[in-house]
């Protein structure tokens, strides 16, 4: 059985500064082909990670997030 998977990221670091890095870059979205998500507390990201090209940029500080996956049978 094939499963559809959605990844969940909830960032937890208050007062995160963009200069610290750790940005989630999602390719294939947005007007210029990418969307950058700064890991600020309260930011929630849902994506089909197996189907969506993405990377995490270098970070200067530890970053914390809650990570989970939703899985359901593919129809």
């Amino acid at each position: 059985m094939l499963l559809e998977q959605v990844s969940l990221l909830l960032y937890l670091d208050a007062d995160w500064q963009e200069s610290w890095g750790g940005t989630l870059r999602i390719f294939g979205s947005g007007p210029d082909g990418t969307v950058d998500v700064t890991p600020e507390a309260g930011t929630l990201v849902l994506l089909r990670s197996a189907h969506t090209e993405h990377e995490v940029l270098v970070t200067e500080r530890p970053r914390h997030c809650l990570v989970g996956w939703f899985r359901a049978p593919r129809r």
Side-chain angles (χ1 to χ4, degrees), residues 6-61:
V6 174
S7 298
L8 172 145
L9 297 134
L10 176 62
Y11 292 107
L12 304 174
D13 294 301
D15 302 320
W16 187 266
Q17 296 180 21
E18 201 168 325
S19 63
W20 295 344
T23 298
L24 171 65
R25 178 162 288 160
I26 302 169
F27 298 96
S29 301
D32 66 350
T34 63
V35 171
D36 286 345
V37 180
T38 303
E40 297 173 313
T43 301
L44 175 66
V45 177
L46 298 171
L47 73 144
R48 295 172 59 203
S49 54
H51 301 284
T52 306
E53 189 175 348
H54 62 284
E55 69 176 329
V56 177
L57 303 182
V58 175
T59 182
E60 300 297 321
R61 302 245 197 277

